[in-house]
């Protein structure tokens, strides 16, 4: 009886209302839903907050407070913009949505600020060095026979370009094998010694460049008696690049799923075979990024090169003997001069340095940008050729052989 009372007191379910057919064929017209994350109200809120912040800042600087600096105007206007935007969004949204939109405005404005700073640096460098970059001799000549009063049609930075390429190549030849081997050791051989090495590597990431240059200068040049050269500069750059490569490669290798290692061990592979065929190919893209970070750290250093390789205005293609200059060092020396032509050459060499870094970045991404297991075009072609060769061999085995004398054509009985 109690169950009957409960059923009698339960409210009746609402009746299902079917839409009334519309249109000539009896179908309800569909309304397209917008899936865009940007709405008209958001744009209006941003525009209103920007206009209000600009007006209030102008009123504050012109009539209320005795402020007249451009930086202060920009900072106050930005703070008022964020506050007004939060107020406008709160009229239509709840608290979590307001915080989310304000956070989105903050990080997007910071990203725009960083992009603007990057474009400003690159654009200013190219603009100041345009007068030197348009001359072909800037890339094909050195400064051995060019004085400070010579026009831009004479002399160039070929000696600095060659020095930079040789020094960074030697530094990469030292850093990449040692850095990757150390990163593999830290992940595959855990223990007290590995923790000690990781601590030392993390401490060396903040090593000042002048200290690395002084270390190589004291040990290689003063104690061992070697002369200043591009090879000594490469050692100093390697000291700067090595902890960056090890730290980044350590983080990347640590992200490789353990299931891949376990699958390799289950198939009978050894630990180092697993590292060579599973771990390193899987983390190839991240390891390439680690090498790029180390290269970017070393290619722009000036003080280690000045201490260990000296300075020269002549082209020296032998990195093992004699002083050798690099693009950052040449930029520093040329920009420090009071002559406009040398300053233009300095900005031109800085533009070449940025172009060189961009080129190395593109080459590294092309080499290591493929996904794990993805084959190149040449590898796919060789795989197809090998497959066709195997298919032809299997077809030749499947063809019936010609019958010999005494051969009945029946297979021999099983043993």
């Amino acid at each position: 009886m109690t169950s009957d009372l409960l059923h009698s007191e339960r409210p009746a379910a609402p009746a299902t209302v079917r839409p009334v057919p519309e249109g000539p064929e009896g179908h309800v017209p569909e309304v397209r839903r917008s899936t865009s994350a940007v709405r008209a109200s958001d744009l209006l809120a941003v525009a209103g907050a920007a206009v209000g912040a600009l007006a209030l800042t102008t009123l504050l600087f012109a009539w209320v407070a005795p402020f007249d600096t451009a930086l202060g105007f920009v900072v106050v206007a930005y703070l008022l913009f964020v506050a007004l935007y939060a107020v406008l969004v709160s009229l239509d949204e709840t608290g979590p949505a307001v915080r989310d939109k304000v956070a989105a405005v903050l990080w997007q404005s910071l990203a725009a600020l960083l992009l603007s700073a990057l474009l400003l640096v690159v654009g200013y460098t190219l603009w100041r060095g345009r007068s030197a970059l348009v001359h072909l001799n800037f890339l094909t000549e050195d400064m051995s026979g060019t004085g400070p009063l010579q026009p831009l049609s004479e002399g160039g930075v070929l000696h600095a370009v060659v020095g930079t390429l040789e020094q960074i190549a030697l530094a990469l030849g030292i850093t990449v094998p040692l850095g990757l081997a150390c990163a593999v050791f830290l992940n595959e051989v855990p223990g007290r010694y590995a923790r000690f090495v990781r601590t030392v590597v993390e401490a060396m990431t903040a090593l000042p460049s002048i200290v690395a240059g002084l270390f190589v200068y004291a040990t290689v040049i003063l104690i061992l008696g070697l002369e200043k050269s591009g090879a000594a500069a490469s050692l100093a750059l390697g000291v700067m690049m090595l902890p960056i490569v090890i730290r980044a490669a350590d983080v990347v290798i640590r992200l490789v799923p353990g299931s891949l290692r376990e699958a390799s061990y289950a198939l009978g592979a050894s630990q180092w075979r697993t590292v060579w065929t599973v771990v390193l190919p899987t983390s190839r893209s991240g390891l390439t990024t680690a090498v790029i970070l180390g290269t970017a750290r070393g290619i722009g250093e000036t003080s280690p090169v000045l201490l260990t390789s000296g300075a020269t205005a002549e082209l020296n293609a032998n990195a093992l003997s004699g002083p050798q200059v690099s693009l950052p060092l040449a930029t520093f020396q040329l920009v420090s001069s009071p002559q406009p032509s040398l300053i233009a050459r300095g900005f031109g060499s800085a533009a070449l340095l940025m172009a060189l870094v961009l080129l190395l970045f593109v080459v590294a991404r092309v080499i290591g940008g493929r996904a794990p297991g993805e084959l190149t075009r040449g590898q796919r072609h060789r795989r197809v050729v090998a497959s066709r060769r195997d298919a032809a061999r299997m077809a030749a085995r499947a063809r019936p052989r010609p019958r010999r004398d005494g051969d009945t054509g029946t297979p021999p009985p099983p043993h």
Side-chain angles (χ1 to χ4, degrees):
M1 181 175 181
T2 304
S3 60
D4 296 339
L5 291 175
L6 292 176
H7 285 294
S8 62
E9 294 176 359
R10 182 178 300 172
T16 303
V17 180
R18 303 183 62 182
V20 180
E22 298 180 4
E25 299 180 357
H27 297 287
V28 178
E30 296 183 357
V31 179
R32 184 180 297 274
R33 298 178 59 185
S34 176
T35 58
S36 176
V38 180
R39 298 178 299 178
S41 58
D42 297 333
L43 298 178
L44 292 176
V46 171
V51 173
L54 184 61
L56 289 177
T57 307
T58 303
L59 179 63
L60 178 64
F61 272 64
W63 297 93
V64 179
F67 300 146
D68 56 356
T69 59
L71 180 60
F73 185 91
V74 173
V75 172
V76 173
Y78 178 75
L79 295 178
L80 289 176
F81 165 75
V82 174
L84 291 177
Y85 179 75
V87 172
L88 293 177
V89 171
S90 63
L91 299 178
D92 298 329
E93 304 289 348
T94 58
V98 172
R99 290 190 292 269
D100 179 71
K101 291 182 179 297
V102 171
V105 166
L106 290 176
W107 69 258
Q108 288 177 3
S109 58
L110 291 177
L113 177 62
L114 294 178
L115 182 60
S116 302
L118 176 62
L119 294 178
L120 178 62
V121 171
V122 175
Y124 182 77
T125 303
L126 294 176
W127 177 258
R128 290 294 303 271
R130 71 189 188 282
S131 57
L133 292 173
V134 296
H135 297 282
L136 183 61
N137 58 279
F138 187 71
L139 302 175
T140 59
E141 298 179 6
D142 56 17
M143 295 291 293
S144 58
T146 305
L149 300 180
Q150 297 295 109
L152 294 176
S153 58
E154 300 179 11
V157 292
L158 177 62
H159 59 302
V161 174
V162 174
T164 298
L165 292 177
E166 291 185 354
Q167 291 171 16
I168 202 65
L170 291 176
L172 287 176
I174 299 172
T175 303
V176 173
L178 292 179
L180 297 185
C182 185
V184 171
F185 166 77
L186 294 178
N187 284 273
E188 300 298 329
V189 189
R192 290 184 176 180
Y193 186 64
R195 290 194 296 269
F196 172 74
V197 173
R198 182 176 285 110
T199 302
V200 172
V201 169
E202 292 178 353
M204 286 184 62
T205 53
L207 182 69
S209 59
I210 189 66
V211 176
L214 288 174
F215 170 75
V216 175
Y217 178 77
T219 55
V220 177
I221 297 177
L222 296 183
I223 297 178
L224 299 180
L226 299 180
E227 63 176 337
K228 291 186 177 182
S229 61
S234 300
L235 292 177
L237 295 179
V239 173
M240 297 297 303
M241 296 165 54
L242 186 60
I244 304 297
V245 175
I246 294 175
R247 189 73 182 92
D250 178 27
V251 175
V252 170
I253 294 177
R254 206 182 303 176
L255 296 177
V256 176
S259 57
L260 296 179
R261 294 185 175 89
E262 296 172 359
S264 179
Y265 296 150
L267 293 175
S270 62
Q271 182 181 14
W272 299 111
R273 184 68 177 177
T274 300
V275 170
W276 184 257
T277 59
V278 176
V279 176
L280 293 181
T282 303
S283 57
R284 178 179 55 192
S285 179
L287 296 178
T288 304
T289 304
V291 174
I292 291 174
L293 293 176
T295 304
R297 174 66 188 275
I299 200 173
E301 294 294 342
T302 302
S303 55
V305 180
L306 180 61
L307 289 173
T308 55
S309 70
T312 179
E314 298 180 357
L315 174 62
N316 180 17
N318 185 9
L320 302 178
S321 176
Q324 191 179 57
V325 75
S326 63
L327 278 174
L329 182 56
T331 302
F332 171 74
Q333 293 175 343
L334 293 172
V335 173
S336 301
S337 174
Q339 299 298 328
S341 60
L342 295 181
I343 294 177
R345 290 188 179 95
F347 278 98
S349 61
L352 286 180
L353 180 61
M354 292 190 299
L356 180 60
V357 172
L358 178 61
L359 178 61
L360 293 177
F361 176 80
V362 171
V363 171
R365 296 311 300 175
V366 170
I367 294 175
R370 297 189 303 273
E374 183 180 356
L375 303 178
T376 62
R377 181 177 300 179
Q379 290 173 340
R380 290 196 299 268
H381 176 70
R382 290 191 293 270
R383 186 69 60 87
V384 170
V385 172
S387 299
R388 291 176 180 175
R389 191 184 304 115
D390 294 340
R393 186 173 64 253
M394 298 300 293
R397 289 183 179 181
R399 286 196 298 267
R401 295 178 297 175
R403 183 176 298 179
R404 301 175 182 176
D405 296 339
D407 188 0
T408 59
T410 59
H415 295 288

